[in-house]
Amino acid sequence: MIISKTPLRVSLAGGGSDLPAFYQRSRGSVISGSIDKYVYVIIKERFDDKIYINYSEKEIVNNIDDIKHNLVRECLRKTGITKGVEITTLSDIPSSGSGLGSSSSVTVGLLNAFYNYKNILVSKEDLAEMACEIEIDICKNPIGKQDQYGCAIGGINKINFNTNGEVTYNSCHYDLKTIAKSFYLYYTGITRSANSILEQQSKNNILKKSENERLIESVEDLDTILKNKKYNDIGPFLHKNWQIKKRMSVGVSNQKIDDLYTEGINSGSTGGKILGAGGGGFILFYVPRKDQENFENNMKHHNFLDFKFENHGTKIIFVEG
């Protein structure tokens, strides 16, 4: 039996520039951090030749081609496992439409568990690139490349997407504990597919040129803020870029999200953003330390998720047999 543990991620700046429609024209860049909320993948050998798959549904099949879960199916194909296994996926948060990169965490975690099951050592970078291939090229999901790298590598990274499709990254040595103390992660209760929103972003060619440039500038702006420890500038930064993000696609926000965001601002937050493509999932608020008591009192009827940033990325946490 093998168990992999793969973090989810919070994207802080540059989201959208990891889409092919953006970086094929002009180099993209994001700042993304993995958090201590995880997807777990368990794979164990069976006594028969069937393939059992346990997630929100249960599948029992004789052949890989019959698997409905496209990520499990393609990861099995990629790693050459064809029969006699049972696979279970578990998640710390709702796995559909969270905005925390859960589908990519699943893909990276599957690949990591499956390769270790076959005693094949694969680097985190290669796991990320294979996950991109499976999700984008094979499954034709209209997503970008930041989630796969962020979940595989771990920590806070500046991830760059070059016009030829190559991805590079630099680890960012910020004060993660201090930053996390002022972030509040709120679950909207809205689940949605990111695909339609991302498809529209790609068709719109990711905004007009001036806003494209602003998207990349935002990454440098946030890097400067965090390096110089000007933490109270984070809220206004997020607020400004949230206004840009809402113009990327009609589905990025809705009345419920706008009302929740306004309530957070009126309670003491200085800025925030919806995570992922938008339309639902989690909202990230920044609240200065002096306003946190007031914020928590006013927003106590909402469902917040405590989190910290983590540095490990995907890893194997159990091996038996």
Side-chain angles (χ1 to χ4, degrees):
M1 179 188 291
I2 303 286
I3 303 177
S4 68
K5 177 181 179 181
T6 305
L8 303 170
R9 66 95 188 100
V10 167
S11 180
L12 297 173
S17 72
D18 62 322
L19 293 169
F22 190 107
Y23 67 70
Q24 286 174 356
R25 294 186 300 109
S26 176
R27 180 174 166 272
S29 184
V30 303
I31 292 178
S32 178
S34 58
I35 63 173
D36 63 343
K37 301 294 177 258
Y38 302 93
V39 168
Y40 300 86
V41 174
I42 305 166
I43 179 171
K44 63 184 291 290
E45 187 176 12
R46 285 190 56 80
F47 69 91
D48 57 20
D49 287 340
K50 293 183 181 293
I51 301 172
Y52 281 61
I53 309 164
N54 309 298
Y55 52 109
S56 57
E57 300 180 27
K58 185 177 183 70
E59 297 188 52
I60 303 173
V61 300
N62 293 310
N63 301 297
I64 288 178
D65 291 344
D66 297 327
I67 296 173
K68 293 188 294 183
H69 193 305
N70 59 356
L71 299 179
V72 172
R73 182 182 66 245
E74 299 307 329
C75 287
L76 286 171
R77 282 178 175 158
K78 186 72 174 176
T79 54
I81 299 171
T82 60
K83 61 182 180 180
V85 292
E86 182 161 356
I87 300 152
T88 302
T89 63
L90 305 168
S91 178
D92 285 337
I93 55 93
S95 59
S96 175
S98 68
L100 299 177
S102 56
S103 67
S104 295
S105 292
V106 169
T107 311
V108 169
L110 287 167
L111 289 169
N112 197 10
F114 292 176
Y115 274 118
N116 274 273
Y117 181 79
K118 295 192 69 178
N119 292 313
I120 299 173
L121 183 63
V122 179
S123 71
K124 292 181 177 182
E125 292 82 0
D126 285 342
L127 289 173
E129 190 56 39
M130 284 187 282
C132 290
E133 179 188 354
I134 288 169
E135 291 192 85
I136 300 170
D137 299 332
I138 297 174
C139 295
K140 305 299 181 184
N141 294 327
I143 61 174
K145 290 187 171 185
Q146 68 158 308
D147 293 354
Q148 299 86 347
Y149 278 84
C151 297
I153 296 162
I156 293 190
N157 299 284
K158 181 181 177 185
I159 309 173
N160 305 306
F161 312 97
N162 300 308
T163 55
N164 63 0
E166 291 182 355
V167 179
T168 59
Y169 70 93
N170 304 101
S171 297
C172 301
H173 303 291
Y174 308 132
D175 185 350
L176 304 185
K177 290 184 179 180
T178 300
I179 297 167
K181 287 177 181 177
S182 292
F183 278 139
Y184 289 77
L185 198 54
Y186 168 71
Y187 183 54
T188 65
I190 306 171
T191 59
R192 82 290 179 266
S193 170
N195 288 1
S196 60
I197 299 171
L198 293 171
E199 283 173 352
Q200 185 175 352
Q201 288 184 23
S202 294
K203 288 177 181 177
N204 291 343
N205 209 18
I206 319 300
L207 306 174
K208 57 189 179 184
K209 183 179 178 181
S210 61
E211 291 182 326
N212 283 342
E213 292 171 351
R214 174 61 199 154
L215 197 61
I216 297 305
E217 288 172 1
S218 72
V219 174
E220 303 305 324
D221 291 345
L222 182 60
D223 184 51
T224 299
I225 289 169
L226 296 177
K227 281 180 177 177
N228 294 329
K229 300 185 177 182
K230 294 184 177 181
Y231 299 130
N232 284 338
D233 289 344
I234 295 174
F237 165 86
L238 291 174
H239 178 77
K240 183 176 181 180
N241 284 278
W242 169 232
Q243 306 312 309
I244 294 175
K245 183 171 182 172
K246 287 200 291 185
R247 297 196 293 270
M248 295 174 77
S249 171
V250 174
V252 167
S253 191
N254 54 49
Q255 192 60 54
K256 181 177 180 179
I257 291 171
D258 288 343
D259 289 345
L260 287 168
Y261 184 81
T262 299
E263 185 180 0
I265 295 296
N266 291 339
S267 298
S269 171
T270 53
K273 58 176 285 191
I274 199 81
L275 294 173
F282 283 85
I283 298 177
L284 183 71
F285 288 106
Y286 182 88
V287 185
R289 299 297 292 275
K290 65 180 179 64
D291 298 314
Q292 289 179 4
E293 183 177 358
N294 184 60
F295 181 87
E296 291 173 6
N297 287 335
N298 288 347
M299 302 287 284
K300 61 185 178 183
H301 55 291
H302 290 307
N303 184 19
F304 285 90
L305 179 69
D306 290 332
F307 77 95
K308 299 180 181 67
F309 289 103
E310 68 94 63
N311 289 307
H312 301 293
T314 188
K315 61 182 180 179
I316 301 299
I317 60 170
F318 183 82
V319 178
E320 182 180 77

